Amino acid sequence: MSIARKALWFIESHFTQPITLADVATAVGVSPFHLSRLFQVTTGTSLIRYLRGRRLTEAAHALARGADDILDVALSAGYSSHAAFTRAFSEQVGSTPQQVRRDGVVNATLVEAIKLGDLPESCAVAPQLKACGALLIAGIGARHRGPSVASIPSQWQRLSMEQTLPSEISYGVCCNNDEAGSFDYIAGLEVKSFASLPANWRAVRIPAGRYVVCRHEGHISSIRSTWRWMLDQHLPDAGLNMADAPEFERYGPEFNQQTGVGGVEIWLPLT
């Protein structure tokens, strides 16, 4: 069973208990940072948001079944007060607890259990361990969570329009991840310093370190499947632990930005 499937099983089996990201990570045998990135890449949402959604969905069903005391339901969902529960419940479900208890869940926005599809395919060439010196990357940056990752290609389009530095190699850097599943993505180039950059460009310093590197040979639109395989299967199977540091995609001169083919390297930092 894959790490993602183990995590989903553990959440589904324990979400009525006060479990945390760290608890799930311990149960499946990877670091909290690794699990957070894996869950986001695999499901499109953060583990914390999904866990909260499952608890509030169970609360909605309990209210629809006629639960008398809303505070008891709130406590069971992990909220210490009626007010905090009502705010979170209304934001997630789209109705107040009182409305759901009266009308049921017909019009409620619920978070159902995630069922993963087919497993991603492995890389054609075995990943390698490599060292990388410090990098300074600058370019078009944006904050993403869930569906907004679909707009990442537009960042590359803007970079190609604004690029003034000659370079055969470009980088897609993921950094500043949080437990809510948000992260910064910078479509950029290596620079010698952060001085005199265009006003709207974002910059990130990548420290020197050890990486596991794999090559995605398919069309760029399917790169998420390679990320999933690396995070969900290869790193755990190889006994490697991902560091809490920027990870990046490296686009060499063989990559064709017009067709989306040519191959891309994925570099994951290791502890």
Side-chain angles (χ1 to χ4, degrees):
M1 183 185 292
S2 73
I3 297 297
R5 281 178 163 78
K6 289 179 180 178
L8 286 168
W9 174 86
F10 185 83
I11 292 170
E12 200 60 27
S13 302
H14 299 82
F15 69 72
T16 59
Q17 303 170 21
I19 59 171
T20 65
L21 170 64
D23 294 326
V24 184
T26 298
V28 301
V30 297
S31 72
F33 178 77
H34 183 156
L35 180 60
S36 180
R37 289 294 294 127
L38 163 63
F39 202 90
Q40 177 72 35
V41 168
T42 301
T43 68
T45 189
S46 75
L47 187 148
I48 297 301
R49 181 173 290 272
Y50 177 69
L51 178 58
R52 182 170 63 245
R54 292 297 292 136
R55 286 171 172 161
L56 291 172
T57 294
E58 179 62 22
H61 285 303
L63 290 167
R65 290 193 295 266
D68 293 327
D69 193 329
I70 292 180
L71 181 58
D72 284 345
V73 176
L75 294 172
S76 297
Y79 293 85
S80 59
S81 71
H82 189 297
F85 172 70
T86 298
R87 284 194 300 270
F89 187 92
S90 300
E91 178 184 350
Q92 171 68 53
V93 177
S95 303
T96 66
Q98 292 85 351
Q99 289 172 325
V100 170
R101 185 166 60 181
R102 183 190 66 220
D103 303 329
V105 296
V106 176
N107 297 316
T109 301
L110 304 179
V111 176
E112 304 296 349
I114 291 176
K115 296 180 180 179
L116 295 180
D118 295 335
L119 292 174
E121 295 183 4
S122 62
C123 295
V125 178
Q128 299 179 341
L129 297 179
K130 294 185 179 182
C132 180
L135 295 171
L136 303 180
I137 306 297
I140 305 300
R143 190 78 175 161
H144 293 283
R145 186 176 67 190
S148 77
V149 297
S151 66
I152 285 178
S154 68
Q155 292 178 236
W156 288 102
Q157 181 177 198
R158 287 177 56 196
L159 179 67
S160 66
M161 295 171 61
E162 300 181 18
Q163 182 174 345
T164 58
L165 304 172
S167 178
E168 290 188 334
I169 299 174
S170 54
Y171 296 83
V173 183
C174 298
C175 55
N176 301 325
N177 306 281
D178 63 25
E179 289 190 355
S182 299
F183 65 95
D184 291 331
Y185 184 89
I186 297 176
L189 311 170
E190 184 176 7
V191 296
K192 293 183 178 180
S193 77
F194 292 150
S196 302
L197 294 175
N200 62 323
W201 279 28
R202 297 270 298 279
V204 59
R205 184 184 304 271
I206 300 176
R210 190 171 65 108
Y211 291 79
V212 58
V213 183
C214 72
R215 187 168 182 81
H216 171 76
E217 294 289 2
H219 190 272
I220 189 60
S221 62
S222 64
I223 194 172
R224 181 176 170 182
S225 65
T226 302
W227 275 90
R228 282 185 55 190
W229 177 76
M230 287 292 292
L231 291 167
D232 197 13
Q233 297 179 47
H234 179 71
L235 264 68
D237 290 348
L240 301 173
N241 295 311
M242 191 172 172
D244 186 355
E247 63 253 28
F248 59 89
E249 302 156 353
R250 183 182 183 276
Y251 298 81
E254 70 280 2
F255 179 74
N256 188 318
Q257 293 189 6
Q258 300 301 316
T259 64
V261 298
V264 179
E265 291 180 346
I266 297 175
W267 290 62
L268 302 182
L270 300 175
T271 55

